[in-house]
Amino acid sequence: ASFSLQVVAVYKLTISISPSGTGSSDFIYDTFDSGLSGWSYTGASGYTLTLDSSNGQPAPSALISGDNFATPINGMQKAVDISMWTGGSLTLTFNWRASSGWPSSSVTNANLRVEDADTGQSLYEEQLIAGGVYDTGWRSYSKDISSYVSGHVRIRIILYLYDGWIANWDQRNWYDNIRLTGSGAPSNPGT
């Protein structure tokens, strides 16, 4: 006598995507642990964007450094798709530090600009520090930018310094833990 046994296994795979925290999701969260995370340099020659393995919160961090007289934007930029943002708050946070290579300098500055990534239209600008200090030490930044970027699909975050001095002050800006968090979960999680 012979017989045949057929076994059919049926599995149901359920993938659940839970936003971090309470009803929030990260559009970016860059700690620079494995490189510059898609950030690129923007500005004139004379400055560079590099990974600094000895500074950060904790190290490493992104470093903008150099010297080039009368150049308005020397910094780093990243375009971020916020099309899945469903409203509510959209909070930009990061750690930052600005300094000069010369202890007698008091022109250290750092700036933030958020613009429409497709048109270049400025949506929000802020001076984090506008001189008066040689080294700020590490500081934290947090801002709900939702009212400025509402209705836009892609934004560009630009973190930069302005070099307007003839002297060689060797300006430096560090950035770490850059995070853009929306209070509304993406409308189509996982796409």
Side-chain angles (χ1 to χ4, degrees), residues 133-144:
V133 66
Y134 154 69
D135 189 337
T136 63
W138 280 98
R139 298 184 181 190
S140 296
Y141 178 87
S142 180
K143 175 88 175 172
D144 180 357

Side-chain angles (χ1 to χ4, degrees), residues 145-164:
I145 60 170
S146 59
S147 63
Y148 305 102
V149 302
S150 181
H152 296 270
V153 176
R154 287 182 351 114
I155 61 171
R156 179 174 293 109
I157 300 167
I158 304 171
L159 299 163
Y160 69 96
L161 62 92
Y162 173 77
D163 187 345

Side-chain angles (χ1 to χ4, degrees), residues 67-70 107 163-169:
D67 189 70
N68 190 3
F69 171 63
V107 296
D163 187 345
W165 304 276
I166 295 172
N168 178 5
W169 298 122

Side-chain angles (χ1 to χ4, degrees), residues 68-87:
N68 190 3
F69 171 63
T71 52
I73 293 181
N74 304 287
M76 54 192 270
Q77 65 179 356
K78 185 173 188 175
V80 182
D81 182 340
I82 59 168
S83 62
M84 302 300 275
W85 175 48
T86 59

Side-chain angles (χ1 to χ4, degrees), residues 17 25 83-86 184-191:
I17 298 176
S25 58
S83 62
M84 302 300 275
W85 175 48
T86 59
S187 55
N188 293 314
T191 60

Side-chain angles (χ1 to χ4, degrees), residues 58-105:
S61 62
L63 168 63
I64 303 156
S65 62
D67 189 70
N68 190 3
F69 171 63
T71 52
I73 293 181
N74 304 287
M76 54 192 270
Q77 65 179 356
K78 185 173 188 175
V80 182
D81 182 340
I82 59 168
S83 62
M84 302 300 275
W85 175 48
T86 59
S89 65
L90 189 63
T91 304
L92 176 62
T93 60
F94 53 86
N95 300 110
W96 66 278
R97 177 183 174 195
S99 78
S100 171
W102 296 88
S104 61
S105 167

